[in-house]
Amino acid sequence: MALSSLAARREMAAIAPSRVVRILLIEDCKSDVFLMERILENVSVNCFYEITDVPRLVDAFYKIDQETFDLVMLDLNLLDIDGVASVAALRAQVAHLPIIVYSGTDDAKTKEKAMMCGATHYLVKGRESGFGIKYMIEHAVR
């Protein structure tokens, strides 16, 4: 038994991710959080995505003060704030972090406003492949 666990640890070490990306996911829908975790789990090759999720923007501010993140993924419809105002508020608080909006709103004007408020990328839920999301994350954290 000990030999097989040693072999398993060696195998895992050989395929260990070369990078860990810490993501703060601001999303109030638990099923969307679960879906994002599965999507990124399925495309994580040489990279591990460590996701911390919070349902409100105020919770995100607290987490940012307590922990270090490489990236923020933000839904635009939250419990405590709605729309692109959340992007502007987040950008004012964390000028150094890339912000990827990941919203169910597929509207060119909303996308333009979000980008003008400081979003790095704007992705529409259900429209992006896992590899598309991975590409946007890796592009944002370069």
Side-chain angles (χ1 to χ4, degrees):
M1 191 73 134
L3 183 60
S4 65
S5 68
L6 178 62
R9 281 185 290 192
R10 284 185 180 156
E11 184 177 319
M12 287 304 292
I15 60 170
S18 60
R19 178 176 177 156
V20 175
V21 177
R22 297 203 54 197
I23 299 171
L24 178 59
L25 176 59
I26 309 170
E27 172 63 70
D28 59 358
C29 178
K30 279 297 191 185
S31 61
D32 285 348
V33 171
F34 179 79
L35 181 61
M36 181 56 68
E37 289 171 342
R38 295 297 79 74
I39 287 170
L40 293 178
E41 185 179 284
N42 288 334
V43 297
S44 57
V45 176
N46 294 327
C47 189
F48 176 75
Y49 300 101
E50 183 178 300
I51 298 174
T52 300
D53 66 285
V54 294
R56 300 177 304 161
L57 192 61
V58 69
D59 299 324
F61 291 147
Y62 175 78
K63 281 290 188 184
I64 288 167
D65 286 342
Q66 302 301 314
E67 299 178 38
T68 302
F69 296 97
D70 300 305
L71 169 81
V72 175
M73 291 189 78
L74 171 69
D75 183 26
L76 292 182
N77 299 311
L78 300 172
L79 297 172
D80 60 345
I81 190 168
D82 193 38
V84 296
S86 59
V87 179
L90 195 55
R91 177 55 63 218
Q93 180 78 11
V94 289
H96 66 283
L97 281 178
I99 300 169
I100 295 179
V101 171
Y102 190 60
S103 177
T105 305
D106 187 8
D107 174 64
K109 288 185 181 188
T110 302
K111 178 181 179 178
E112 181 181 352
K113 287 178 186 176
M115 299 299 282
M116 289 176 62
C117 287
T120 307
H121 296 292
Y122 188 102
L123 304 175
V124 178
K125 292 179 182 179
R127 296 263 171 102
E128 303 294 332
S129 71
F131 289 104
I133 294 169
K134 176 186 168 131
Y135 173 81
M136 292 298 176
I137 290 170
E138 291 183 6
H139 180 261
V141 297
R142 276 191 212 160

